[in-house]
């Protein structure tokens, strides 16, 4: 089923068209990757989805279990609160002066706030709030375990090593119990082993928690390894859309990434150094 | 020695009042990084509301003192909370996302507006009130000098300790407190985990205003005279206290308040009372020059 429907999304900043009439869909229980060269508008798409920007034109429909929601019309904080859309950033944005555990509990703010009656119940130590808090800690522990941070639960988040901070960010996003998880370059700065672990974690999230994942990523081992569906952007336009296999072989994509060939044929003095197959391969 | 002890007691009760106001400065600074210069005026309004409540209650006939105190406290808190919320809504929220100086200028404007409003509504004359709580313990006597700890001072110190405990619990243990700390550290990210940032900021203003109301009530009882201008000086001193303790830090604000109260009391006791404000504001200058992060403040680490 379609979880997210983006239709004719256009974002202009003055004369600059960052996204130009972009339409794509993301299904639940699938990893949809958005790739493209630098400056293609990938993060702008995320910003439109999560309420940072109001799109100039277009509609973003989230098929929430309670009914469709139009994300472009919602106030920023309601998108995670009511819509269940979680997001991480390209550069890590943890609450660095809170402990690892607190980072996960603050993500369950809305549940706790409701349970405690705007914190008054929490102050009085009412049982309803205590139970809600216990559940919140349980959920936090579950995710700590998933991302291997249980033994560092009391560390200040800012003191964690880089890879662990990345994992904690994903855990925090999952603690809001989203139905759509938007990850902006989660593998940036990770070593190959950590990237592989990330793949595993994301596939596990997709399969066990039945949510849709939207992924911006440059690391092709991650993109090709876990995506069910890839959308390729270039200069704000969608140039390709389909399975990893399809996108990998799409000449338009290859051109966007590697640039256009200026001369169809190599000059003869160069050509003689290369076997025939390489020359043909380049054009494809 | 006796004299020293007396000044210590006086300084602590005065410091408790400054500390309560300073918390409002420090919380607001913590969460949106601006100095709410209208905060002193909120405290002044708290003082006026509690005095008016006392007068009305006296006019209606005597009422049991603790009940009168409670009613005045609630009235003052409710009124200042509404003021605090309205000021934030009208004067600061529209300027969020504007350049850093804009809300500061707006705050100064708000401060002048509130002063003049109260001056127009209540008159410019100093308002006196009969002392409500009198008497106290005589701790010691020596050479005809008696050290007294008045009931009022006990009331002030105990109420301050209670409020400090409650506020520390709110900030550290409740989900509202966590939301406030999250907003303080990264407003954008807080919104992305579903925190209603605007409401959290409003709540912070309201909480600060409530404490300022308590301070206003205390000062009404302590000095027995108030006027529309008391907010300015008290506000500046509380701001100094917040800076001294390390702006953004809650225990720092209280510590700073107590230190400022003590400095003022001892200076008036041993040197000249006319220059007590000079002493206090010299501290502000010295702290800003030699330890800008204050006593308990954390230095800002800029990540590249």
């Amino acid at each position: 089923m379609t979880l997210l429907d983006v239709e004719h999304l256009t974002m202009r900043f003055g004369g600059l068209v960052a996204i130009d009439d972009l339409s794509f869909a993301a299904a639940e229980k699938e990893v949809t990757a958005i790739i493209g060269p630098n400056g293609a508008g990938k993060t702008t798409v995320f910003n439109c989805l999560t309420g940072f920007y109001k799109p100039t034109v277009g509609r973003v429909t989230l098929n929430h279990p309670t009914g469709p929601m139009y994300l472009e019309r919602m106030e920023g904080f309601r998108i995670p609160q009511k819509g269940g859309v979680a997001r991480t950033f390209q550069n890590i944005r943890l609450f660095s002066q809170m402990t690892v555990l607190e980072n996960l509990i603050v993500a369950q703010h809305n549940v706790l706030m409701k349970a405690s009656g705007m914190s008054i119940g929490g102050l009085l130590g009412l049982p309803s709030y205590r139970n809600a808090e216990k559940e919140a800690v349980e959920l936090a522990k579950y995710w700590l375990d998933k991302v291997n941070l249980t033994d560092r639960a009391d560390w200040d988040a800012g003191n964690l090593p880089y890879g662990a901070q990345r994992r904690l960010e994903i855990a925090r996003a999952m603690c809001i119990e989203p139905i759509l998880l938007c990850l902006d370059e989660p593998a940036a700065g990770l070593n190959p082993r950590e990237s592989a672990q990330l793949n595993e974690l994301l596939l596990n999230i997709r399969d066990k928690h039945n949510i849709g994942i939207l992924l911006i990523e440059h690391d092709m081992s991650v993109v090709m390894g876990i995506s069910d569906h890839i959308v390729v952007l270039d200069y704000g336009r969608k140039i390709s859309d389909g399975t990893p296999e399809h996108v990998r072989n799409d000449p338009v994509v290859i051109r966007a990434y590697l640039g256009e060939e200026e001369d169809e044929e190599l000059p003869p003095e160069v050509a003689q150094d290369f076997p025939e197959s390489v020359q043909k391969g380049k054009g494809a | 020695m006796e004299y020293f002890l007396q000044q210590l007691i006086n300084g602590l009760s005065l410091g408790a009042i400054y500390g309560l106001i300073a918390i409002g400065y420090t919380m607001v600074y913590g969460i949106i990084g601006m100095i709410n210069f209208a905060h002193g005026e909120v405290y002044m309004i708290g003082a006026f509301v509690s005095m008016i409540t006392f007068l009305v209650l006296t006019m209606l006939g005597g009422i049991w003192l603790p009940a009168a105190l409670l009613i005045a406290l609630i009235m003052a808190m409710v009124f200042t909370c509404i003021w605090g919320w309205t000021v934030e809504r009208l004067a600061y929220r529209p300027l969020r996302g504007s350049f850093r100086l804009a809300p500061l200028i707006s705050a100064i404007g708000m401060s002048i507006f509130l002063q003049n409003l109260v001056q127009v509504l209540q008159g410019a004359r100093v308002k006196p009130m009969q002392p409500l709580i009198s008497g106290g313990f005589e701790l010691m006597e020596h050479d005809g000098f008696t050290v007294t700890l008045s009931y009022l001072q006990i009331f002030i110190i105990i109420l301050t300790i209670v409020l400090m405990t409650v506020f520390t619990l709110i900030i550290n243990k409740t989900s509202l407190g966590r939301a406030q700390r999250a907003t303080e550290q990264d407003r954008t990210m807080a919104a992305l985990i579903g925190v209603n940032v605007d409401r959290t900021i409003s709540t912070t203003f309201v909480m600060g205003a409530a404490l300022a109301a308590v301070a206003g009530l205390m000062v009404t009882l302590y000095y027995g005279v108030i006027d529309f201008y008391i907010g300015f000086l008290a506000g500046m001193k509380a701001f100094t206290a917040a800076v001294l303790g390390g702006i953004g830090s809650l225990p720092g604000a209280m510590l700073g308040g107590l230190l400022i109260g003590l400095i003022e009391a001892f200076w008036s006791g041993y040197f000249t009372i006319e220059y007590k404000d000079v002493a206090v504001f010299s501290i502000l200058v010295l702290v800003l020059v030699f330890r800008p992060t204050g006593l308990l403040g954390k230095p800002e680490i800029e990540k590249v």
Side-chain angles (χ1 to χ4, degrees), chain A residues 94-106 136-161 164 167-168 171, chain B residues 178 181:
Chain A
L94 289 166
F95 301 119
S96 53
Q97 288 159 41
M98 289 190 187
T99 66
V100 170
L101 184 67
E102 265 187 318
N103 263 281
L104 299 185
I105 291 178
V106 78
V137 174
E138 282 307 311
L139 183 65
K141 277 185 183 160
Y142 171 82
W143 283 108
L144 280 180
D145 192 44
K146 281 264 183 193
V147 298
N148 288 327
L149 287 173
T150 310
D151 49 340
R152 286 183 270 195
D154 291 330
W155 284 37
D156 273 355
N159 294 339
L160 288 175
R167 296 204 300 277
L168 179 59
Chain B
R178 270 193 293 268
R181 280 180 292 146

Side-chain angles (χ1 to χ4, degrees), chain B residues 188-212:
Chain B
T188 318
M189 199 58 231
L192 274 175
I193 54 169
V195 172
N196 185 338
V197 170
D198 278 336
R199 192 195 286 162
T200 307
I201 292 174
S202 290
T203 317
T204 308
F205 271 86
V206 166
M207 284 165 75
L211 287 187

Side-chain angles (χ1 to χ4, degrees), chain B residues 51-115:
Chain B
M51 181 178 271
I52 292 169
T53 314
F54 281 132
L55 292 178
V56 169
L57 287 177
T58 327
M59 243 164 44
L60 293 174
I63 181 166
W64 189 46
L65 185 65
L69 283 176
L70 192 66
I71 293 173
L73 195 62
I74 291 171
M75 288 295 285
M77 275 181 158
V78 168
F79 263 84
T80 50
C81 285
I82 295 171
W83 271 113
W85 186 85
T86 316
V87 167
E88 193 271 335
R89 191 74 190 76
L90 293 181
Y92 307 147
R93 194 183 294 184
L95 295 174
R96 208 165 292 152
S98 175
F99 61 107
R100 258 180 92 91
L101 269 180
L104 199 72
I105 295 164
S106 180
I108 293 170
M110 223 13 166
S111 161
I112 296 170
F113 166 74
L114 288 178
Q115 269 179 29

Side-chain angles (χ1 to χ4, degrees), chain A residues 50 52 77 80 87 89 93 95-98 102 105-107 109-110 112-113 116 119 123 129 133 172, chain B residues 166 169-170 172-176 178-179 181-182 185-186 188-196 199 298 303:
Chain A
T50 49
F52 279 87
F77 73 94
R87 176 185 178 175
F89 282 88
R93 295 182 83 158
F95 301 119
S96 53
Q97 288 159 41
M98 289 190 187
E102 265 187 318
I105 291 178
V106 78
H109 168 79
N110 286 301
L112 288 174
M113 207 66 172
S116 68
S119 278
L123 199 57
Y129 174 70
E133 197 171 56
R172 181 180 61 184
Chain B
V166 171
L169 279 178
I170 291 180
N172 289 323
K173 297 277 180 223
T174 67
S175 52
L176 171 67
R178 270 193 293 268
R181 280 180 292 146
Q185 288 180 34
D186 189 337
T188 318
M189 199 58 231
L192 274 175
I193 54 169
V195 172
N196 185 338
R199 192 195 286 162
K298 277 175 243 143
K303 260 197 189 153

